[in-house]
């Protein structure tokens, strides 16, 4: 699935290389009324590819989206603060274009010298980006003569910069970040060392059903946490009170539990939880057995017995995937489960993959990201990949001749 050409298939010297990066980073207000980058993880992740291209003498045109401006200019979502931070991180000036494919973008691209970098304005300021409009894809493609996709976090989107441009520009290859993501996630779907343990959490079971179904028979043990656990618990007959339950997914959960039994995958559900009176940061709460949640309370985290049981399973894993927090980890009272699992994952000596999103944020907050084998930058993309979906951005690199 990951058989796409990489940077070694591209001779960048003398070329104008279009790089689709994922610089969709959080911004915060500054004292002078401006904006600055609040978390530069994705900027740092883009550096190896950009450094390679500039050192090899390419003229580099970086493209990215930021937020959801819905096809119109929004000063609050300009990439200017990203250009400033990218300049600092890259150690070379990054010129900021005032538009995406307008006069200023074309002029700044035309003025590039080998080893120089320009960043186009937010792709999603153009309504044609999310619609994969041919005219926008044509205009973007006209800016360069080679294409590198290093935006795994956007690879599941059939947008103009993700699929339209590589259909028009060859060679089209994967950047270093994209290659690392595909290699790590493909390893999980191949024949990884056993035991293979998957930990899935997060708010919605509906987001994870496809992943669970695709992993059954491949993983040995599947540990469930987060709000999605309560739909599974309800499906097995537990009264989970006011806990979040997707009623329309109860039958799906029962079917998956039956399929898991038949496939040899053991699905484990929480045995104790932190039950709260309401969904609030300062609500009254206590740790109880699952059977004792009560009609008027809701589960907002897994309990210490569940954490200990999960940690014991994690310790023996030779291959491990974690996607989704165990509770409302943004609130201190309901953080214990996610922190406990994060520490167990970081101590695991097997091949460990964090599947992006909140799990990646949690392990970074604890300073443990360097202790795992791979932290994905693409939550939604990694989930679809693990479901077995051929991501549009990956398929676009595979089409026809790469060079």
């Amino acid at each position: 699935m990951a058989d796409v050409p990489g940077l070694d298939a591209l001779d960048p010297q003398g070329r104008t290389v279009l790089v689709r990066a994922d610089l969709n980073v959080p911004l915060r207000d500054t004292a002078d009324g401006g904006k600055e980058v609040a978390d530069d993880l994705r900027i740092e992740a883009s550096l190896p590819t950009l450094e390679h291209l500039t050192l090899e003498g390419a003229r580099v045109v970086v493209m990215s989206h930021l937020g959801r401006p819905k096809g119109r200019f929004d000063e609050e979502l300009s990439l200017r603060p990203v250009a400033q931070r990218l300049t600092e991180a890259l150690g070379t000036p990054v010129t900021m274009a005032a538009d995406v494919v307008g006069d200023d973008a074309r002029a700044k691209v035309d003025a590039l010298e080998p080893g120089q970098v320009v960043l186009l304005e937010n792709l999603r300021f153009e309504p044609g980006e999310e619609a994969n409009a041919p005219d926008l894809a044509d205009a973007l493609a006209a800016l360069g003569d080679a294409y590198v996709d290093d935006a795994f976090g956007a690879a599941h989107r059939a947008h103009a910069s993700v699929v339209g441009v590589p259909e028009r520009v060859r060679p089209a290859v994967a950047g270093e970040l994209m290659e690392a993501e595909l290699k790590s996630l493909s390893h999980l779907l191949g024949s990884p060392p056993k035991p293979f343990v998957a930990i899935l959490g997060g708010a919605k079971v509906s987001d994870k059903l496809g992943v669970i179904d695709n992993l059954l028979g491949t993983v040995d043990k599947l540990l469930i946490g987060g709000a999605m656990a309560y739909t599974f618990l309800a499906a097995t007959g537990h009264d989970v009170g006011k806990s979040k339950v997707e009623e329309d997914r109860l039958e799906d959960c029962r079917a998956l539990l039956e399929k898991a039994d038949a496939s040899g995958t053991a699905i484990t559900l929480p045995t104790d939880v932190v039950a709260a009176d309401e969904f609030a940061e300062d609500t009254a709460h206590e740790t109880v057995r699952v059977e004792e949640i009560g009609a008027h309370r809701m589960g907002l985290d897994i309990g210490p017995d569940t954490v200990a049981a999960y940690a014991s399973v994690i310790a023996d894993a030779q291959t491990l995937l974690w996607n989704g927090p165990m509770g409302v980890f943004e609130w201190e009272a309901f953080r214990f489960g996610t922190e406990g699992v994060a520490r167990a994952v970081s101590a695991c000596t097997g091949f460990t993959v964090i599947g992006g999103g909140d799990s990646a944020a949690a392990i970074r907050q604890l300073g443990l990201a360097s202790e795992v084998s791979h932290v994905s930058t693409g939550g939604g993309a990694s989930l679809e990949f693990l479901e077995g979906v051929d991501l549009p951005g990956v398929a676009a690199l595979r089409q026809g001749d790469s060079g």
Side-chain angles (χ1 to χ4, degrees):
M1 186 168 189
D3 54 339
V4 298
L7 284 178
D8 57 356
L10 169 67
D11 179 4
Q13 186 172 10
R15 289 185 181 271
T16 302
V17 182
L18 302 170
V19 180
R20 180 47 162 106
D22 183 6
L23 307 179
N24 184 29
V25 297
L27 302 178
R28 62 188 172 209
D29 296 328
T30 59
D32 61 1
K35 294 281 186 182
E36 66 180 8
V37 174
D39 181 346
D40 64 359
L41 174 75
R42 287 179 171 170
I43 292 173
E44 293 288 337
S46 73
L47 294 181
T49 292
L50 298 180
E51 288 170 346
H52 170 84
L53 293 171
T54 55
L55 288 172
E56 291 294 320
R59 295 179 290 271
V60 180
V61 181
V62 182
M63 311 178 287
S64 179
H65 71 283
L66 178 65
R68 298 180 181 275
K70 299 180 180 178
R72 59 180 183 272
F73 179 81
D74 182 347
E75 182 66 35
E76 296 288 302
L77 294 174
S78 171
L79 281 169
R80 279 195 300 275
V82 175
Q84 181 177 343
R85 181 68 192 97
L86 188 57
T87 292
E88 297 166 1
L90 198 55
T92 190
V94 174
T95 302
M96 182 70 206
D99 48 33
V100 179
V101 290
D103 291 342
D104 192 63
R106 290 195 299 272
K108 285 186 165 64
V109 171
D110 288 344
L112 280 175
E113 297 290 338
Q116 293 184 340
V117 182
V118 66
L119 174 63
L120 303 182
E121 188 52 283
N122 191 340
L123 288 164
R124 290 186 181 173
F125 287 172
E126 293 283 344
E129 165 64 359
E130 293 187 72
N132 189 19
D135 59 341
L136 178 60
D138 287 342
L140 287 170
L143 296 175
D145 55 14
Y147 175 85
V148 175
D149 192 344
D150 214 25
F152 179 73
H156 60 315
R157 307 294 190 191
H159 293 171
S161 64
V162 177
V163 298
V165 176
E167 287 173 353
R168 292 161 170 79
V169 177
R170 292 287 168 174
V173 305
E176 290 195 23
L177 174 61
M178 176 72 85
E179 281 194 278
E181 294 273 15
L182 296 177
K183 181 179 179 181
S184 294
L185 295 172
S186 294
H187 179 70
L188 299 180
L189 296 179
S191 299
K194 302 281 193 170
F196 180 4
V197 176
I199 313 154
L200 295 179
K204 296 174 68 177
V205 72
S206 52
D207 289 343
K208 304 286 174 37
L209 290 173
V211 175
I212 295 172
D213 187 53
N214 201 44
L215 291 177
L216 291 181
T218 300
V219 300
D220 299 290
K221 295 184 178 181
L222 186 53
L223 312 178
I224 304 292
M228 62 179 279
Y230 301 101
T231 303
F232 273 102
L233 288 166
T236 61
H238 283 91
D239 180 358
V240 295
K242 296 192 297 181
S243 303
K244 181 179 178 67
V245 173
E246 292 179 71
E247 300 285 347
D248 61 336
R249 297 299 188 179
L250 290 171
E251 283 304 318
D252 292 327
C253 289
R254 292 188 189 102
L256 280 176
L257 289 167
E258 291 177 8
K259 187 173 179 179
D261 283 340
S263 69
T265 295
I267 294 183
T268 305
L269 302 175
T271 56
D272 64 335
V273 301
V274 181
D277 290 352
E278 57 184 332
F279 190 80
E281 187 171 1
D282 57 354
T283 185
H285 58 277
E286 66 172 328
T287 300
V288 300
R289 305 296 296 172
V290 166
E291 297 82 6
E292 300 166 350
I293 293 174
H296 301 293
R297 292 192 296 193
M298 64 184 69
L300 295 183
D301 194 12
I302 59 174
D305 289 350
T306 301
V307 171
Y310 285 9
S312 178
V313 172
I314 291 166
D316 292 333
Q318 290 301 305
T319 304
L320 186 140
L321 164 69
W322 177 27
N323 187 294
M326 298 292 99
V328 189
F329 81 103
E330 299 91 341
W331 296 339
E332 186 174 353
F334 311 106
R335 189 176 296 162
F336 177 82
T338 300
E339 287 192 355
V341 165
R343 295 189 190 283
V345 169
S346 69
C348 177
T349 58
F351 181 77
T352 50
V353 175
I354 308 296
D358 290 333
S359 305
I363 208 141
R364 289 202 310 276
Q365 285 176 17
L366 292 169
L368 298 173
S370 63
E371 303 299 314
V372 299
S373 306
H374 180 73
V375 180
S376 178
T377 57
S382 65
L383 281 176
E384 290 197 22
F385 190 97
L386 292 168
E387 284 182 33
V389 174
D390 193 6
L391 304 181
V394 178
L397 299 179
R398 198 186 300 117
Q399 292 172 1
D401 180 15
S402 68

